Amino acid sequence: MEFQKRIIDRILGLASNSEENDANVKSGHVQIATPSHVYHTSTITPLQDGINSLIFTLAHNIFNTPGALSDERAEHLKNFLNLLQCTIDFDQSPELSSQLKRVILLISDPAVLASSKAFTDALFGNNLGASSTNVKFNSWGVLGASPSLLEWSKRCNPMDTPGPSVGYTCGLWELFHVISVGVAERATPSNNAPINNPFMAGETMREFVANFFPCAECQIHFLQMYDGCMFKRCDSLVDSTSPEMTLAERRAFAIFVWEAHNDVNVRLYKEGVERDGGVCCSEANEAVAKTKIWPSLLICPTCWTGGDFDPAHWSEGEVYGALKDRYGVQFGNFHFADFHEKQKNHVDLLKREKLAADGLWFVVAMLAVVGILYIVLKCCNKNKRGGKKSKMRYSQ
């Protein structure tokens, strides 16, 4: 499928977490855009990009075989949604928090998990792939969203390419960053909220990728990084909910996701160079590859203590500060109002189209009736005149 081919090329989102990662997938090849070193301005927040990708996942990627969803996969999905629920601030995102709770409750219902259709009907109503001829109005399901109306930001779709899945992989990375920063922030017990376990958060995200990401190659690369303990993951993610965790332990999951994402971006660039016949590790290409690392020197000069992008020369505190500024929930509240307004406008358009179509059919039907009546009347008159002539001949 073209979608999966595009996903394989991008591997969890080439253009996801930085302005210098803009890419256009063309003819199966990743075309790297010139780094702009400026933030894309967008009213769509990183969290909203992430939720869009979550909605797309729920609509298309949960059932990989016919029949009911297995208990194991259902548990992995529930764990991931619970993790997201625990890493957002209810006071700042009450609608999102409420929707997540409703979805989690649905996943506990065996009838909802009995088939892909039962699942999507429960979550999205009957409007999955709806058109003007089969839409059931005002039936958007528990999520209040139609997957066909998803729109990602310029960060995730810099070329404004049309399509229901163009920003999917980018948005998924955005969601991972929001969650990982949320784990760090909710690891602070000052608000008396449950403390997130960094190790369990990592395991939950791992299982989500392993079970629900629709690209085998992408899964392999992510799992190789995670299971292979890259970026000191096995040492840094502590299995603890203790309020005595150090600052570095609380932030470790966010730093791991950041390092993994940068590694994906650099590797994808080098693979693209090789695919186009270049030398991936030449001095010039190595220099360009470093521009795929976020944050850039211009965005965060204090993040790179050596004045370059050497992984040995970055400041954990400064990098985490940049991540928090971009992905912290206080900067990423998800508002449903605009999305609902767009859905309402879409439904109104479908209603108008349906009314217009119904009106056209009514006119056609009336014309047909008039035509038939005209023919019948004409035939009757003709027969009547013919009868009179016959009678006159008989009387003569």
Side-chain angles (χ1 to χ4, degrees), residues 71-134:
D71 291 342
E72 182 180 10
R73 285 170 63 83
E75 191 65 22
H76 291 319
L77 178 59
K78 192 185 303 182
N79 288 342
F80 184 80
L81 295 175
N82 274 316
L83 174 62
L84 177 58
Q85 169 75 19
C86 291
T87 54
I88 62 173
D89 189 326
F90 178 82
D91 292 333
Q92 296 189 40
S93 300
E95 291 183 69
L96 173 58
S97 181
S98 175
Q99 296 285 48
L100 285 171
K101 288 179 180 178
R102 295 172 70 191
V103 174
I104 292 168
L105 284 174
L106 277 177
I107 296 172
S108 303
D109 184 353
V112 172
L113 304 179
S115 68
S116 175
K117 184 180 185 305
F119 185 80
T120 53
D121 280 354
L123 265 64
F124 302 105
N126 298 300
N127 286 291
L128 193 59
S131 67
S132 58
T133 58
N134 65 5

Side-chain angles (χ1 to χ4, degrees), residues 267-333:
R267 177 174 50 78
L268 279 173
Y269 167 75
K270 292 181 178 180
E271 289 178 358
V273 170
E274 288 184 330
R275 188 167 50 241
D276 293 336
V279 180
C280 79
C281 299
S282 68
E283 184 175 348
N285 286 330
E286 282 290 331
V288 176
K290 288 182 177 180
T291 67
K292 310 305 164 191
I293 295 175
W294 186 92
S296 69
L297 284 169
L298 290 180
I299 291 175
C300 185
T302 57
C303 289
W304 306 96
T305 56
D308 56 23
F309 289 104
D310 187 335
H313 297 155
W314 55 270
S315 165
E316 178 184 292
E318 293 295 326
V319 166
Y320 179 76
L323 288 169
K324 182 179 177 181
D325 284 347
R326 181 157 181 168
Y327 297 107
V329 291
Q330 63 268 39
F331 298 99
N333 189 20

Side-chain angles (χ1 to χ4, degrees), residues 180-195:
S180 64
V181 170
V183 167
E185 293 303 297
R186 291 290 292 269
T188 304
S190 58
N191 58 0
N192 295 318
I195 298 174

